Amino acid sequence: MMHTLPNLPYDIAALEPHISANTLTFHHGKHHQAYVTNLNNLIQNTDLADKSLEEIIHATAKDPEKVSIFNNAAQVWNHTFFWNCMKPQGGGQPTGDLKVMIEKTFGSYETFAAEFKQAAVTQFGSGWAWLVVEKGILRIMKTPNADLPMVHGATALMTCDVWEHAYYLDYQNRRPDYVDTFLTHLVNWDFAATLLNAS
Ligand code: FE
């Protein structure tokens, strides 16, 4: 089974001025595409060739000899997920059950946002900040490099890519500004709410 690069769920310029078409051209068209291409090359003619992306991630997560396959497979999954975590005119507060759960868990949306930003900004080097649900409980997670909640028993509801390639063309070294913008103008809470309902 060949893995393919999914289309962005919006136009390449739809997240401007917050994330430029230039950033998405590289981030989706070059970085995400490279993970897809590398994964297909690495699994060719192996017992993973006919497995789903999730099966590959779980099968390689704890195997030191398959780190490259895990990294590329996880990054394919992470990026596809991340594109859906943003939308034009996104941002602000969630609604419905998700809003109630966030307020119950963190005290307020503002406290949640501050803690999420703290996780995103303090992830040393490359990685991801996440809102996850685990056994019915919401929590914030951060992971290095390609690591992701599904191999730690948690279900991802939302993520922010904090690899430099996600923001450097638009924000240079200002990761805190990028994360603020992500929460204020981009995050797609409808997507997270759908995942919470399905969890
Ligand atoms: Fe990325």
Side-chain angles (χ1 to χ4, degrees):
M1 182 173 97
M2 288 289 280
H3 298 271
T4 55
L5 181 70
N7 290 329
L8 288 172
Y10 30 73
D11 184 80
I12 194 100
L15 303 183
E16 290 191 345
H18 311 297
I19 291 181
S20 64
N22 192 30
T23 287
L24 286 185
T25 299
F26 280 91
H27 198 179
H28 175 257
K30 302 292 184 189
H31 291 278
H32 196 178
Q33 177 66 66
Y35 297 128
V36 172
T37 303
N38 291 341
L39 175 62
N40 283 326
N41 289 337
L42 287 163
I43 63 174
Q44 206 172 24
N45 304 319
T46 76
D47 57 358
L48 295 171
D50 61 349
K51 297 286 191 278
S52 72
L53 192 57
E54 286 79 2
E55 286 171 331
I56 294 170
I57 290 168
H58 284 294
T60 58
K62 306 283 188 301
D63 188 341
E65 290 180 5
K66 292 185 176 155
V67 172
S68 293
I69 298 176
F70 171 78
N71 283 340
N72 284 283
Q75 284 292 78
V76 171
W77 192 95
N78 289 342
H79 283 88
T80 301
F81 187 78
F82 175 56
W83 307 136
N84 284 292
C85 290
M86 300 186 287
K87 65 174 185 179
Q89 282 87 50
Q93 300 208 9
T95 56
D97 290 349
L98 182 57
K99 179 185 169 75
V100 171
M101 262 184 94
I102 282 178
E103 288 174 350
K104 202 172 139 195
T105 307
F106 300 97
S108 68
Y109 173 80
E110 288 71 24
T111 306
F112 157 78
E115 290 183 16
F116 184 86
K117 182 180 174 185
Q118 175 72 5
V121 168
T122 59
Q123 171 52 43
F124 186 76
S126 296
W128 302 79
W130 307 84
L131 176 65
V132 305
V133 62
E134 186 175 355
K135 298 187 178 83
I137 296 172
L138 291 184
R139 69 185 171 92
I140 291 165
M141 241 180 125
K142 56 181 177 177
T143 60
N145 302 314
D147 195 18
L148 72 176
M150 75 168 78
V151 299
H152 302 285
T155 300
L157 301 179
M158 184 274 270
T159 194
C160 183
D161 186 344
V162 295
W163 283 59
E164 280 190 348
H165 67 218
Y167 61 88
Y168 212 85
L169 294 176
D170 297 324
Y171 297 85
Q172 291 76 52
N173 61 325
R174 293 176 284 114
R175 190 192 290 188
D177 291 353
Y178 158 70
V179 177
D180 275 337
T181 301
F182 172 85
L183 288 171
T184 308
H185 296 290
L186 296 170
V187 64
N188 181 356
W189 284 123
D190 296 339
F191 180 64
T194 302
L195 295 171
L196 179 65
N197 288 337
S199 72

PDB file of all heavy atoms in Angstrom, residues 40-76:
ATOM      1  N   ASN A  40       7.354   5.409   2.306  1.00  0.00           N
ATOM      2  CA  ASN A  40       7.127   4.431   1.235  1.00  0.00           C
ATOM      3  C   ASN A  40       8.420   3.713   0.855  1.00  0.00           C
ATOM      4  O   ASN A  40       8.424   2.494   0.656  1.00  0.00           O
ATOM      5  CB  ASN A  40       6.520   5.132   0.008  1.00  0.00           C
ATOM      6  CG  ASN A  40       5.041   5.428   0.196  1.00  0.00           C
ATOM      7  OD1 ASN A  40       4.314   4.677   0.835  1.00  0.00           O
ATOM      8  ND2 ASN A  40       4.585   6.545  -0.364  1.00  0.00           N
ATOM      9  N   ASN A  41       9.521   4.445   0.801  1.00  0.00           N
ATOM     10  CA  ASN A  41      10.801   3.819   0.465  1.00  0.00           C
ATOM     11  C   ASN A  41      11.257   2.841   1.539  1.00  0.00           C
ATOM     12  O   ASN A  41      11.786   1.771   1.243  1.00  0.00           O
ATOM     13  CB  ASN A  41      11.875   4.891   0.250  1.00  0.00           C
ATOM     14  CG  ASN A  41      11.651   5.661  -1.040  1.00  0.00           C
ATOM     15  OD1 ASN A  41      11.000   5.161  -1.969  1.00  0.00           O
ATOM     16  ND2 ASN A  41      12.167   6.877  -1.110  1.00  0.00           N
ATOM     17  N   LEU A  42      11.044   3.214   2.815  1.00  0.00           N
ATOM     18  CA  LEU A  42      11.544   2.395   3.925  1.00  0.00           C
ATOM     19  C   LEU A  42      10.757   1.102   4.108  1.00  0.00           C
ATOM     20  O   LEU A  42      11.309   0.096   4.570  1.00  0.00           O
ATOM     21  CB  LEU A  42      11.501   3.200   5.230  1.00  0.00           C
ATOM     22  CG  LEU A  42      12.563   4.297   5.372  1.00  0.00           C
ATOM     23  CD1 LEU A  42      12.183   5.277   6.474  1.00  0.00           C
ATOM     24  CD2 LEU A  42      13.932   3.682   5.654  1.00  0.00           C
ATOM     25  N   ILE A  43       9.465   1.119   3.776  1.00  0.00           N
ATOM     26  CA  ILE A  43       8.642  -0.084   4.018  1.00  0.00           C
ATOM     27  C   ILE A  43       8.511  -0.977   2.794  1.00  0.00           C
ATOM     28  O   ILE A  43       7.991  -2.091   2.889  1.00  0.00           O
ATOM     29  CB  ILE A  43       7.222   0.273   4.533  1.00  0.00           C
ATOM     30  CG1 ILE A  43       6.443   1.082   3.501  1.00  0.00           C
ATOM     31  CG2 ILE A  43       7.312   0.988   5.882  1.00  0.00           C
ATOM     32  CD1 ILE A  43       4.988   1.335   3.887  1.00  0.00           C
ATOM     33  N   GLN A  44       9.019  -0.490   1.664  1.00  0.00           N
ATOM     34  CA  GLN A  44       8.946  -1.266   0.423  1.00  0.00           C
ATOM     35  C   GLN A  44       9.525  -2.667   0.640  1.00  0.00           C
ATOM     36  O   GLN A  44      10.600  -2.799   1.234  1.00  0.00           O
ATOM     37  CB  GLN A  44       9.797  -0.533  -0.623  1.00  0.00           C
ATOM     38  CG  GLN A  44       9.392  -0.771  -2.028  1.00  0.00           C
ATOM     39  CD  GLN A  44      10.160   0.152  -2.981  1.00  0.00           C
ATOM     40  OE1 GLN A  44      11.247   0.620  -2.656  1.00  0.00           O
ATOM     41  NE2 GLN A  44       9.602   0.397  -4.131  1.00  0.00           N
ATOM     42  N   ASN A  45       8.816  -3.686   0.212  1.00  0.00           N
ATOM     43  CA  ASN A  45       9.286  -5.073   0.316  1.00  0.00           C
ATOM     44  C   ASN A  45       9.558  -5.533   1.750  1.00  0.00           C
ATOM     45  O   ASN A  45      10.407  -6.390   1.977  1.00  0.00           O
ATOM     46  CB  ASN A  45      10.546  -5.298  -0.538  1.00  0.00           C
ATOM     47  CG  ASN A  45      10.332  -4.930  -1.991  1.00  0.00           C
ATOM     48  OD1 ASN A  45       9.275  -5.218  -2.556  1.00  0.00           O
ATOM     49  ND2 ASN A  45      11.316  -4.280  -2.591  1.00  0.00           N
ATOM     50  N   THR A  46       8.877  -4.927   2.727  1.00  0.00           N
ATOM     51  CA  THR A  46       8.961  -5.422   4.107  1.00  0.00           C
ATOM     52  C   THR A  46       7.565  -5.852   4.550  1.00  0.00           C
ATOM     53  O   THR A  46       6.580  -5.618   3.845  1.00  0.00           O
ATOM     54  CB  THR A  46       9.461  -4.337   5.094  1.00  0.00           C
ATOM     55  OG1 THR A  46       8.384  -3.416   5.347  1.00  0.00           O
ATOM     56  CG2 THR A  46      10.669  -3.588   4.552  1.00  0.00           C
ATOM     57  N   ASP A  47       7.507  -6.462   5.751  1.00  0.00           N
ATOM     58  CA  ASP A  47       6.191  -6.919   6.233  1.00  0.00           C
ATOM     59  C   ASP A  47       5.295  -5.745   6.643  1.00  0.00           C
ATOM     60  O   ASP A  47       4.144  -5.938   7.008  1.00  0.00           O
ATOM     61  CB  ASP A  47       6.340  -7.931   7.376  1.00  0.00           C
ATOM     62  CG  ASP A  47       7.141  -7.383   8.543  1.00  0.00           C
ATOM     63  OD1 ASP A  47       7.630  -6.229   8.468  1.00  0.00           O
ATOM     64  OD2 ASP A  47       7.281  -8.117   9.543  1.00  0.00           O
ATOM     65  N   LEU A  48       5.828  -4.538   6.595  1.00  0.00           N
ATOM     66  CA  LEU A  48       5.002  -3.362   6.905  1.00  0.00           C
ATOM     67  C   LEU A  48       4.373  -2.738   5.658  1.00  0.00           C
ATOM     68  O   LEU A  48       3.563  -1.819   5.760  1.00  0.00           O
ATOM     69  CB  LEU A  48       5.851  -2.300   7.619  1.00  0.00           C
ATOM     70  CG  LEU A  48       6.388  -2.694   8.997  1.00  0.00           C
ATOM     71  CD1 LEU A  48       7.378  -1.646   9.497  1.00  0.00           C
ATOM     72  CD2 LEU A  48       5.245  -2.882   9.998  1.00  0.00           C
ATOM     73  N   ALA A  49       4.742  -3.272   4.488  1.00  0.00           N
ATOM     74  CA  ALA A  49       4.322  -2.633   3.230  1.00  0.00           C
ATOM     75  C   ALA A  49       2.804  -2.588   3.059  1.00  0.00           C
ATOM     76  O   ALA A  49       2.286  -1.656   2.440  1.00  0.00           O
ATOM     77  CB  ALA A  49       4.969  -3.351   2.045  1.00  0.00           C
ATOM     78  N   ASP A  50       2.095  -3.584   3.628  1.00  0.00           N
ATOM     79  CA  ASP A  50       0.640  -3.604   3.426  1.00  0.00           C
ATOM     80  C   ASP A  50      -0.121  -3.171   4.675  1.00  0.00           C
ATOM     81  O   ASP A  50      -1.333  -3.380   4.787  1.00  0.00           O
ATOM     82  CB  ASP A  50       0.182  -4.997   2.977  1.00  0.00           C
ATOM     83  CG  ASP A  50       0.486  -6.066   4.015  1.00  0.00           C
ATOM     84  OD1 ASP A  50       1.238  -5.764   4.980  1.00  0.00           O
ATOM     85  OD2 ASP A  50      -0.015  -7.195   3.874  1.00  0.00           O
ATOM     86  N   LYS A  51       0.586  -2.553   5.619  1.00  0.00           N
ATOM     87  CA  LYS A  51      -0.066  -2.153   6.873  1.00  0.00           C
ATOM     88  C   LYS A  51      -0.556  -0.699   6.795  1.00  0.00           C
ATOM     89  O   LYS A  51      -0.024   0.121   6.039  1.00  0.00           O
ATOM     90  CB  LYS A  51       0.929  -2.278   8.036  1.00  0.00           C
ATOM     91  CG  LYS A  51       1.410  -3.709   8.283  1.00  0.00           C
ATOM     92  CD  LYS A  51       0.326  -4.544   8.949  1.00  0.00           C
ATOM     93  CE  LYS A  51       0.847  -5.873   9.451  1.00  0.00           C
ATOM     94  NZ  LYS A  51       0.930  -6.907   8.385  1.00  0.00           N
ATOM     95  N   SER A  52      -1.563  -0.400   7.622  1.00  0.00           N
ATOM     96  CA  SER A  52      -2.060   0.978   7.685  1.00  0.00           C
ATOM     97  C   SER A  52      -1.040   1.853   8.426  1.00  0.00           C
ATOM     98  O   SER A  52      -0.158   1.348   9.132  1.00  0.00           O
ATOM     99  CB  SER A  52      -3.393   1.021   8.429  1.00  0.00           C
ATOM    100  OG  SER A  52      -3.187   0.801   9.812  1.00  0.00           O
ATOM    101  N   LEU A  53      -1.197   3.142   8.282  1.00  0.00           N
ATOM    102  CA  LEU A  53      -0.289   4.078   8.952  1.00  0.00           C
ATOM    103  C   LEU A  53      -0.280   3.845  10.466  1.00  0.00           C
ATOM    104  O   LEU A  53       0.786   3.778  11.095  1.00  0.00           O
ATOM    105  CB  LEU A  53      -0.722   5.508   8.621  1.00  0.00           C
ATOM    106  CG  LEU A  53       0.248   6.623   8.987  1.00  0.00           C
ATOM    107  CD1 LEU A  53       1.614   6.421   8.339  1.00  0.00           C
ATOM    108  CD2 LEU A  53      -0.348   7.967   8.593  1.00  0.00           C
ATOM    109  N   GLU A  54      -1.456   3.703  11.063  1.00  0.00           N
ATOM    110  CA  GLU A  54      -1.542   3.485  12.516  1.00  0.00           C
ATOM    111  C   GLU A  54      -0.874   2.170  12.912  1.00  0.00           C
ATOM    112  O   GLU A  54      -0.190   2.093  13.935  1.00  0.00           O
ATOM    113  CB  GLU A  54      -3.007   3.488  12.984  1.00  0.00           C
ATOM    114  CG  GLU A  54      -3.648   4.868  13.027  1.00  0.00           C
ATOM    115  CD  GLU A  54      -4.103   5.376  11.653  1.00  0.00           C
ATOM    116  OE1 GLU A  54      -3.957   4.636  10.640  1.00  0.00           O
ATOM    117  OE2 GLU A  54      -4.603   6.512  11.591  1.00  0.00           O
ATOM    118  N   GLU A  55      -1.073   1.127  12.101  1.00  0.00           N
ATOM    119  CA  GLU A  55      -0.440  -0.163  12.404  1.00  0.00           C
ATOM    120  C   GLU A  55       1.079  -0.044  12.354  1.00  0.00           C
ATOM    121  O   GLU A  55       1.788  -0.612  13.190  1.00  0.00           O
ATOM    122  CB  GLU A  55      -0.919  -1.222  11.395  1.00  0.00           C
ATOM    123  CG  GLU A  55      -2.356  -1.679  11.635  1.00  0.00           C
ATOM    124  CD  GLU A  55      -2.894  -2.568  10.514  1.00  0.00           C
ATOM    125  OE1 GLU A  55      -2.459  -2.424   9.339  1.00  0.00           O
ATOM    126  OE2 GLU A  55      -3.767  -3.401  10.810  1.00  0.00           O
ATOM    127  N   ILE A  56       1.581   0.694  11.382  1.00  0.00           N
ATOM    128  CA  ILE A  56       3.032   0.877  11.269  1.00  0.00           C
ATOM    129  C   ILE A  56       3.568   1.622  12.484  1.00  0.00           C
ATOM    130  O   ILE A  56       4.593   1.257  13.063  1.00  0.00           O
ATOM    131  CB  ILE A  56       3.383   1.635   9.966  1.00  0.00           C
ATOM    132  CG1 ILE A  56       3.032   0.775   8.745  1.00  0.00           C
ATOM    133  CG2 ILE A  56       4.859   2.023   9.945  1.00  0.00           C
ATOM    134  CD1 ILE A  56       3.105   1.524   7.415  1.00  0.00           C
ATOM    135  N   ILE A  57       2.849   2.676  12.897  1.00  0.00           N
ATOM    136  CA  ILE A  57       3.288   3.472  14.053  1.00  0.00           C
ATOM    137  C   ILE A  57       3.360   2.588  15.302  1.00  0.00           C
ATOM    138  O   ILE A  57       4.372   2.583  16.016  1.00  0.00           O
ATOM    139  CB  ILE A  57       2.337   4.675  14.263  1.00  0.00           C
ATOM    140  CG1 ILE A  57       2.537   5.689  13.129  1.00  0.00           C
ATOM    141  CG2 ILE A  57       2.581   5.335  15.623  1.00  0.00           C
ATOM    142  CD1 ILE A  57       1.461   6.774  13.065  1.00  0.00           C
ATOM    143  N   HIS A  58       2.306   1.821  15.557  1.00  0.00           N
ATOM    144  CA  HIS A  58       2.305   0.967  16.751  1.00  0.00           C
ATOM    145  C   HIS A  58       3.366  -0.134  16.658  1.00  0.00           C
ATOM    146  O   HIS A  58       3.998  -0.471  17.656  1.00  0.00           O
ATOM    147  CB  HIS A  58       0.913   0.365  16.972  1.00  0.00           C
ATOM    148  CG  HIS A  58      -0.072   1.347  17.528  1.00  0.00           C
ATOM    149  ND1 HIS A  58       0.057   1.885  18.789  1.00  0.00           N
ATOM    150  CD2 HIS A  58      -1.176   1.903  16.992  1.00  0.00           C
ATOM    151  CE1 HIS A  58      -0.949   2.731  19.007  1.00  0.00           C
ATOM    152  NE2 HIS A  58      -1.709   2.767  17.930  1.00  0.00           N
ATOM    153  N   ALA A  59       3.570  -0.677  15.459  1.00  0.00           N
ATOM    154  CA  ALA A  59       4.518  -1.791  15.295  1.00  0.00           C
ATOM    155  C   ALA A  59       5.967  -1.356  15.455  1.00  0.00           C
ATOM    156  O   ALA A  59       6.830  -2.183  15.775  1.00  0.00           O
ATOM    157  CB  ALA A  59       4.315  -2.438  13.925  1.00  0.00           C
ATOM    158  N   THR A  60       6.253  -0.094  15.219  1.00  0.00           N
ATOM    159  CA  THR A  60       7.655   0.358  15.225  1.00  0.00           C
ATOM    160  C   THR A  60       8.009   1.241  16.418  1.00  0.00           C
ATOM    161  O   THR A  60       9.186   1.541  16.635  1.00  0.00           O
ATOM    162  CB  THR A  60       7.970   1.151  13.937  1.00  0.00           C
ATOM    163  OG1 THR A  60       7.078   2.274  13.847  1.00  0.00           O
ATOM    164  CG2 THR A  60       7.825   0.276  12.703  1.00  0.00           C
ATOM    165  N   ALA A  61       7.017   1.632  17.207  1.00  0.00           N
ATOM    166  CA  ALA A  61       7.241   2.641  18.257  1.00  0.00           C
ATOM    167  C   ALA A  61       8.289   2.235  19.281  1.00  0.00           C
ATOM    168  O   ALA A  61       9.029   3.076  19.775  1.00  0.00           O
ATOM    169  CB  ALA A  61       5.927   2.958  18.963  1.00  0.00           C
ATOM    170  N   LYS A  62       8.355   0.965  19.620  1.00  0.00           N
ATOM    171  CA  LYS A  62       9.290   0.535  20.667  1.00  0.00           C
ATOM    172  C   LYS A  62      10.465  -0.257  20.088  1.00  0.00           C
ATOM    173  O   LYS A  62      11.166  -0.939  20.824  1.00  0.00           O
ATOM    174  CB  LYS A  62       8.540  -0.337  21.696  1.00  0.00           C
ATOM    175  CG  LYS A  62       7.294   0.299  22.298  1.00  0.00           C
ATOM    176  CD  LYS A  62       7.652   1.338  23.349  1.00  0.00           C
ATOM    177  CE  LYS A  62       6.443   1.863  24.114  1.00  0.00           C
ATOM    178  NZ  LYS A  62       5.395   2.491  23.302  1.00  0.00           N
ATOM    179  N   ASP A  63      10.665  -0.167  18.780  1.00  0.00           N
ATOM    180  CA  ASP A  63      11.697  -0.985  18.131  1.00  0.00           C
ATOM    181  C   ASP A  63      12.872  -0.107  17.697  1.00  0.00           C
ATOM    182  O   ASP A  63      12.780   0.632  16.721  1.00  0.00           O
ATOM    183  CB  ASP A  63      11.082  -1.692  16.911  1.00  0.00           C
ATOM    184  CG  ASP A  63      12.031  -2.708  16.290  1.00  0.00           C
ATOM    185  OD1 ASP A  63      13.258  -2.616  16.555  1.00  0.00           O
ATOM    186  OD2 ASP A  63      11.544  -3.575  15.550  1.00  0.00           O
ATOM    187  N   PRO A  64      13.999  -0.212  18.439  1.00  0.00           N
ATOM    188  CA  PRO A  64      15.149   0.662  18.133  1.00  0.00           C
ATOM    189  C   PRO A  64      15.695   0.475  16.716  1.00  0.00           C
ATOM    190  O   PRO A  64      16.351   1.366  16.183  1.00  0.00           O
ATOM    191  CB  PRO A  64      16.199   0.276  19.183  1.00  0.00           C
ATOM    192  CG  PRO A  64      15.668  -0.874  19.938  1.00  0.00           C
ATOM    193  CD  PRO A  64      14.235  -1.093  19.567  1.00  0.00           C
ATOM    194  N   GLU A  65      15.421  -0.689  16.114  1.00  0.00           N
ATOM    195  CA  GLU A  65      15.920  -0.914  14.751  1.00  0.00           C
ATOM    196  C   GLU A  65      15.012  -0.297  13.698  1.00  0.00           C
ATOM    197  O   GLU A  65      15.352  -0.281  12.514  1.00  0.00           O
ATOM    198  CB  GLU A  65      16.061  -2.420  14.489  1.00  0.00           C
ATOM    199  CG  GLU A  65      17.199  -3.032  15.274  1.00  0.00           C
ATOM    200  CD  GLU A  65      17.350  -4.528  15.037  1.00  0.00           C
ATOM    201  OE1 GLU A  65      16.625  -5.075  14.184  1.00  0.00           O
ATOM    202  OE2 GLU A  65      18.195  -5.116  15.731  1.00  0.00           O
ATOM    203  N   LYS A  66      13.853   0.194  14.135  1.00  0.00           N
ATOM    204  CA  LYS A  66      12.901   0.757  13.157  1.00  0.00           C
ATOM    205  C   LYS A  66      12.578   2.217  13.435  1.00  0.00           C
ATOM    206  O   LYS A  66      11.497   2.706  13.119  1.00  0.00           O
ATOM    207  CB  LYS A  66      11.629  -0.093  13.134  1.00  0.00           C
ATOM    208  CG  LYS A  66      11.928  -1.478  12.556  1.00  0.00           C
ATOM    209  CD  LYS A  66      10.732  -2.352  12.381  1.00  0.00           C
ATOM    210  CE  LYS A  66      11.164  -3.661  11.703  1.00  0.00           C
ATOM    211  NZ  LYS A  66      10.257  -4.752  11.999  1.00  0.00           N
ATOM    212  N   VAL A  67      13.560   2.910  14.021  1.00  0.00           N
ATOM    213  CA  VAL A  67      13.353   4.316  14.391  1.00  0.00           C
ATOM    214  C   VAL A  67      13.021   5.170  13.170  1.00  0.00           C
ATOM    215  O   VAL A  67      12.131   6.026  13.220  1.00  0.00           O
ATOM    216  CB  VAL A  67      14.613   4.881  15.109  1.00  0.00           C
ATOM    217  CG1 VAL A  67      14.487   6.383  15.308  1.00  0.00           C
ATOM    218  CG2 VAL A  67      14.795   4.187  16.454  1.00  0.00           C
ATOM    219  N   SER A  68      13.705   4.930  12.062  1.00  0.00           N
ATOM    220  CA  SER A  68      13.459   5.747  10.866  1.00  0.00           C
ATOM    221  C   SER A  68      12.048   5.546  10.344  1.00  0.00           C
ATOM    222  O   SER A  68      11.392   6.510   9.935  1.00  0.00           O
ATOM    223  CB  SER A  68      14.450   5.400   9.750  1.00  0.00           C
ATOM    224  OG  SER A  68      15.725   5.787  10.138  1.00  0.00           O
ATOM    225  N   ILE A  69      11.590   4.303  10.349  1.00  0.00           N
ATOM    226  CA  ILE A  69      10.227   4.037   9.877  1.00  0.00           C
ATOM    227  C   ILE A  69       9.229   4.699  10.814  1.00  0.00           C
ATOM    228  O   ILE A  69       8.295   5.381  10.370  1.00  0.00           O
ATOM    229  CB  ILE A  69       9.952   2.518   9.775  1.00  0.00           C
ATOM    230  CG1 ILE A  69      10.898   1.882   8.759  1.00  0.00           C
ATOM    231  CG2 ILE A  69       8.481   2.264   9.392  1.00  0.00           C
ATOM    232  CD1 ILE A  69      10.768   0.373   8.646  1.00  0.00           C
ATOM    233  N   PHE A  70       9.448   4.526  12.136  1.00  0.00           N
ATOM    234  CA  PHE A  70       8.546   5.166  13.104  1.00  0.00           C
ATOM    235  C   PHE A  70       8.516   6.683  12.893  1.00  0.00           C
ATOM    236  O   PHE A  70       7.441   7.288  12.832  1.00  0.00           O
ATOM    237  CB  PHE A  70       8.967   4.849  14.548  1.00  0.00           C
ATOM    238  CG  PHE A  70       8.196   5.662  15.552  1.00  0.00           C
ATOM    239  CD1 PHE A  70       6.897   5.311  15.888  1.00  0.00           C
ATOM    240  CD2 PHE A  70       8.751   6.807  16.123  1.00  0.00           C
ATOM    241  CE1 PHE A  70       6.161   6.086  16.788  1.00  0.00           C
ATOM    242  CE2 PHE A  70       8.019   7.586  17.016  1.00  0.00           C
ATOM    243  CZ  PHE A  70       6.721   7.222  17.349  1.00  0.00           C
ATOM    244  N   ASN A  71       9.695   7.295  12.796  1.00  0.00           N
ATOM    245  CA  ASN A  71       9.747   8.757  12.674  1.00  0.00           C
ATOM    246  C   ASN A  71       8.980   9.250  11.458  1.00  0.00           C
ATOM    247  O   ASN A  71       8.215  10.213  11.537  1.00  0.00           O
ATOM    248  CB  ASN A  71      11.202   9.233  12.585  1.00  0.00           C
ATOM    249  CG  ASN A  71      11.891   9.228  13.941  1.00  0.00           C
ATOM    250  OD1 ASN A  71      11.243   9.229  14.980  1.00  0.00           O
ATOM    251  ND2 ASN A  71      13.213   9.211  13.921  1.00  0.00           N
ATOM    252  N   ASN A  72       9.166   8.615  10.333  1.00  0.00           N
ATOM    253  CA  ASN A  72       8.495   9.070   9.112  1.00  0.00           C
ATOM    254  C   ASN A  72       6.996   8.766   9.144  1.00  0.00           C
ATOM    255  O   ASN A  72       6.191   9.616   8.763  1.00  0.00           O
ATOM    256  CB  ASN A  72       9.171   8.472   7.875  1.00  0.00           C
ATOM    257  CG  ASN A  72      10.471   9.175   7.566  1.00  0.00           C
ATOM    258  OD1 ASN A  72      10.481  10.274   7.027  1.00  0.00           O
ATOM    259  ND2 ASN A  72      11.599   8.572   7.944  1.00  0.00           N
ATOM    260  N   ALA A  73       6.628   7.590   9.638  1.00  0.00           N
ATOM    261  CA  ALA A  73       5.206   7.249   9.720  1.00  0.00           C
ATOM    262  C   ALA A  73       4.486   8.187  10.691  1.00  0.00           C
ATOM    263  O   ALA A  73       3.402   8.705  10.396  1.00  0.00           O
ATOM    264  CB  ALA A  73       5.032   5.794  10.165  1.00  0.00           C
ATOM    265  N   ALA A  74       5.098   8.408  11.840  1.00  0.00           N
ATOM    266  CA  ALA A  74       4.472   9.284  12.841  1.00  0.00           C
ATOM    267  C   ALA A  74       4.368  10.713  12.313  1.00  0.00           C
ATOM    268  O   ALA A  74       3.348  11.386  12.525  1.00  0.00           O
ATOM    269  CB  ALA A  74       5.270   9.243  14.142  1.00  0.00           C
ATOM    270  N   GLN A  75       5.376  11.161  11.602  1.00  0.00           N
ATOM    271  CA  GLN A  75       5.317  12.522  11.063  1.00  0.00           C
ATOM    272  C   GLN A  75       4.275  12.648   9.942  1.00  0.00           C
ATOM    273  O   GLN A  75       3.668  13.711   9.789  1.00  0.00           O
ATOM    274  CB  GLN A  75       6.701  12.973  10.582  1.00  0.00           C
ATOM    275  CG  GLN A  75       7.648  13.363  11.718  1.00  0.00           C
ATOM    276  CD  GLN A  75       7.210  14.625  12.446  1.00  0.00           C
ATOM    277  OE1 GLN A  75       6.291  14.591  13.270  1.00  0.00           O
ATOM    278  NE2 GLN A  75       7.841  15.741  12.146  1.00  0.00           N
ATOM    279  N   VAL A  76       4.055  11.592   9.196  1.00  0.00           N
ATOM    280  CA  VAL A  76       2.954  11.620   8.215  1.00  0.00           C
ATOM    281  C   VAL A  76       1.632  11.796   8.967  1.00  0.00           C
ATOM    282  O   VAL A  76       0.813  12.663   8.637  1.00  0.00           O
ATOM    283  CB  VAL A  76       2.924  10.335   7.359  1.00  0.00           C
ATOM    284  CG1 VAL A  76       1.650  10.287   6.505  1.00  0.00           C
ATOM    285  CG2 VAL A  76       4.159  10.259   6.459  1.00  0.00           C
TER     286      VAL A  76
END
